[in-house]
């Protein structure tokens, strides 16, 4: 049977087109063009522009038309789709609730790939401000889990399936294997919450008894606080945007992602406070950063890159409306100080605060935007120690400037 392809995709990207009134054959399903292909009796094969295909039943329930999804064609075959549609039509004729019955039935036919995409869309994307992490999350599952369990119904996946995924990469790519395990665990947690699966999380404890097999992870070392002062002094003499951003990162002990996203509209007129919006913070809560004199000087120097009242403070040197690349500061740092990471300067700050100030533990932790106490304790403690943090950041800024200048002369 030749299936036409014209006018098969609507403007909003949804499959549409003529309704082909002949009954389908199993051999046609994989070759079907984007569109809606009827099998008769309200049963349709729906093919998306991406090539993904699924079954849909159009049925009248208590005088109202309802469209019920019967599952992906990768799991539900033509004969099974016909059987399910017959059963649901019978339920409707007898006054039952075919919608509820279909929902319960369809859960059994959700594949791991389908559920992973749903979890990514509903749980991961809204909760992360790191676009690279968001994409890596689903890419990891597509690469390692999908070839083994991607097309398998979630409720049928066993511990042996999980072992088959993890065992080949446990020694060679241990950190990758750990992330695959953690991310699969999230998918199955969702399945349990949605009652798609009822017999536990199959990921739990798989391979955990083999921790000793994991290779030792080599971490980049963080600079000591006095070495950080030398680095700050070295880069603050440069005028390039990457060097200014790096120094501002050191001076504020902030995460580089928030620095790259920072806009002038977030800084008060006197440059005493930088109000970071919640979408730019790891903890997903707004955060006020007190700015030391050293940090304010860096902002004054960065004003020459300003293009508007709410433009990026540290824009890309080639495209002023785009963020600085996440690799700019790292490459700049490692070109002169091999082995160090930008994130490590938060450790440098914490070391200085611990060894050379009398700041309370809570103040030091809040200065790094760390959550202090349980969720309940934080709900009752609305203070953010701003005045104390301002004093600590001023001490840190002075140490960076004074010790850096002193070391450069010796």
């Amino acid at each position: 049977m030749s299936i036409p392809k014209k006018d098969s995709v609507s403007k909003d990207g949804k499959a549409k087109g003529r309704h082909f009134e002949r009954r389908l054959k199993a051999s046609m399903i994989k070759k079907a063009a984007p569109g809606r292909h009827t099998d008769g009796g309200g049963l349709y094969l729906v093919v998306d522009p991406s090539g993904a295909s699924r079954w849909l039943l159009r049925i009248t329930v208590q005088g109202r038309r309802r469209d019920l999804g019967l599952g992906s064609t990768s799991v539900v075959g033509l004969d099974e789709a016909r059987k399910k549609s017959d059963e649901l039509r019978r339920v409707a004729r007898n006054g039952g609730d075919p919608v509820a019955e279909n929902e319960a039935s369809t859960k059994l036919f959700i594949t791991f790939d389908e559920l992973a995409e749903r979890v990514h869309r509903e749980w991961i994307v809204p909760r992360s401000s790191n676009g690279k992490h968001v994409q890596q999350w689903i890419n990891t599952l597509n690469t390692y889990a999908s070839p083994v369990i991607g097309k398998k119904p979630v409720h049928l996946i066993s511990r042996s399936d999980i072992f088959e995924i993890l065992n080949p990469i446990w020694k060679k790519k241990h950190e990758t294997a750990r992330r695959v395990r953690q991310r699969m665990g999230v998918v199955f947690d969702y399945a349990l919450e949605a009652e798609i699966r009822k017999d536990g999380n199959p990921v739990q404890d798989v391979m955990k008894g083999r921790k000793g097999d994991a290779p030792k992870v080599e971490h980049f070392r963080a600079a000591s606080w006095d070495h950080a002062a030398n680095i700050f002094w070295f880069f603050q003499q440069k005028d390039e945007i990457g060097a200014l951003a790096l120094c501002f990162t050191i001076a504020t002990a902030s995460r580089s992602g928030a620095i790259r996203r920072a806009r002038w509209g977030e800084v008060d007129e006197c440059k005493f406070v930088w109000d970071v919006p919640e979408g730019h913070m790891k903890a997903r809560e707004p955060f006020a950063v007190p700015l030391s004199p050293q940090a304010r000087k860096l902002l004054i120097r960065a004003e020459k890159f300003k293009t508007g009242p709410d433009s990026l403070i540290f824009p890309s040197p080639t495209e002023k409306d785009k963020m600085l690349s996440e690799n700019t500061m790292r490459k700049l740092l490692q070109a002169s100080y091999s082995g160090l990471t930008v994130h490590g300067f938060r450790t440098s700050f914490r070391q200085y605060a611990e060894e050379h100030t009398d700041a309370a533990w809570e103040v030091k932790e809040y200065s790094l935007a760390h959550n202090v106490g349980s969720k309940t304790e934080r709900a009752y403690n609305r203070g953010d120690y701003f005045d104390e943090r301002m004093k600590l950041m001023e001490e840190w800024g002075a140490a960076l400037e004074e010790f850096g200048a002193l070391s450069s002369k010796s």
Side-chain angles (χ1 to χ4, degrees):
M1 169 182 169
S2 176
I3 300 177
K5 297 185 179 182
K6 287 185 76 175
D7 302 323
S8 58
V9 183
S10 63
K11 291 181 180 180
D12 60 2
K14 294 182 179 179
K16 64 169 189 135
R18 293 163 51 193
H19 298 190
F20 308 105
E21 296 299 341
R22 304 176 190 171
R23 286 178 67 85
L24 298 169
K25 295 180 181 178
S27 60
M28 301 174 183
I29 295 172
K30 289 186 178 180
K31 301 176 183 178
R36 190 170 57 239
H37 310 273
T38 185
D39 188 57
L43 176 63
Y44 294 90
L45 167 67
V46 181
V47 183
D48 294 331
S50 66
S53 56
R54 62 192 184 279
W55 299 108
L56 180 143
L57 176 63
R58 177 160 289 179
I59 190 172
T60 300
V61 181
Q62 297 178 352
R64 180 184 173 192
R65 192 179 71 185
R66 303 295 298 269
D67 288 347
L68 308 181
L70 305 185
S72 167
T73 59
S74 64
V75 177
V76 181
L78 177 57
D79 289 341
E80 193 168 4
R82 286 171 176 166
K83 181 179 178 182
K84 287 182 68 176
S85 63
D86 288 342
E87 290 174 355
L88 292 171
R89 281 194 293 267
R90 189 180 306 111
V91 170
R93 283 196 305 270
N94 294 333
D97 186 353
V99 177
E101 292 210 13
N102 180 62
E103 182 179 351
S105 172
T106 302
K107 285 179 179 180
L108 298 179
F109 295 95
I110 295 178
T111 67
F112 179 84
D113 280 350
E114 291 170 334
L115 189 60
E117 289 288 346
R118 184 192 300 182
V119 173
H120 181 249
R121 182 175 65 254
E122 295 181 8
W123 279 12
I124 306 304
V125 174
R127 300 180 186 184
S128 177
S129 58
N130 187 327
K132 182 178 179 181
H133 165 76
V134 166
Q135 192 56 45
Q136 283 178 340
W137 195 95
I138 192 66
N139 286 349
T140 303
L141 294 179
N142 288 340
T143 300
Y144 296 100
S146 183
V148 179
I149 60 174
K151 305 305 179 187
K152 195 168 185 177
V154 171
H155 74 289
L156 296 179
I157 295 171
S158 66
R159 286 172 56 85
S160 63
D161 294 320
I162 305 304
F163 180 79
E164 185 179 347
I165 295 166
L166 297 176
N167 190 47
I169 58 174
W170 192 256
K171 285 187 178 182
K172 296 178 182 178
K173 302 178 180 180
H174 181 72
E175 180 58 23
T176 298
R178 186 192 65 78
R179 292 181 182 182
V180 172
R181 183 175 65 185
Q182 185 271 332
R183 291 166 188 176
M184 286 192 298
V186 172
V187 174
F188 287 108
D189 282 344
Y190 184 105
L192 291 170
E193 292 289 339
E195 296 187 346
I196 295 169
R197 182 183 176 95
K198 296 184 178 180
D199 53 348
N201 191 324
V203 176
Q204 189 172 6
D205 296 331
V206 174
M207 305 296 289
K208 283 193 175 180
R210 299 185 61 195
K211 289 183 178 179
D213 290 343
K216 184 178 179 180
V217 178
E218 294 292 333
H219 294 285
F220 283 112
R221 57 189 176 87
S224 61
W225 79 264
D226 51 339
H227 191 198
N230 292 336
I231 295 169
F232 178 84
W233 182 260
F234 174 76
F235 283 110
Q236 65 93 28
Q237 298 178 73
K238 301 179 181 295
D239 276 332
E240 58 191 286
I241 192 73
L244 291 177
L246 178 59
C247 288
F248 192 74
T249 303
I250 298 172
T252 58
S254 298
R255 292 182 173 88
S256 61
I259 300 292
R260 293 169 48 239
R261 295 181 178 88
R263 293 184 175 274
W264 285 106
E266 298 164 9
V267 178
D268 74 311
E269 291 184 4
C270 297
K271 299 181 176 63
F272 280 101
V273 184
W274 168 32
D275 287 308
V276 187
E278 63 182 38
H280 298 176
M281 295 298 297
K282 184 176 181 180
R284 309 298 289 176
E285 295 178 358
F287 186 67
V289 179
L291 300 175
S292 66
Q294 291 71 30
R296 296 199 292 272
K297 289 176 187 176
L298 292 165
L299 289 179
I300 292 171
R301 292 173 59 191
E303 282 188 307
K304 62 184 176 183
F305 301 106
K306 189 175 182 179
T307 59
D310 198 37
S311 61
L312 291 163
I313 298 176
F314 303 106
S316 164
T318 56
E319 298 180 77
K320 302 301 181 185
D321 60 338
K322 291 191 175 181
M323 289 193 305
L324 197 68
S325 164
E326 63 180 327
N327 292 321
T328 300
M329 286 188 275
R330 179 182 62 81
K331 289 181 178 179
L332 189 66
L333 173 64
Q334 294 195 8
S336 299
Y337 299 92
S338 178
L340 296 180
T341 60
V342 178
H343 191 81
F345 290 114
R346 288 166 57 81
T347 301
S348 309
F349 162 79
R350 192 63 172 80
Q351 179 204 7
Y352 170 81
E354 195 68 38
E355 297 177 357
H356 298 278
T357 75
D358 58 0
W361 177 82
E362 292 87 351
V363 175
K364 291 178 283 195
E365 288 297 292
Y366 263 101
S367 295
L368 291 169
H370 287 166
N371 286 331
V372 176
S374 67
K375 189 174 183 179
T376 301
E377 289 170 332
R378 295 198 302 275
Y380 284 99
N381 178 17
R382 296 295 183 180
D384 64 356
Y385 302 98
F386 184 84
D387 292 339
E388 295 89 340
R389 289 193 290 119
M390 174 64 85
K391 178 177 180 293
L392 177 57
M393 298 312 296
E394 288 180 347
E395 292 178 10
W396 171 238
L400 290 173
E401 188 170 61
E402 294 168 8
F403 192 88
L406 182 65
S407 299
S408 67
K409 295 176 183 178
S410 58

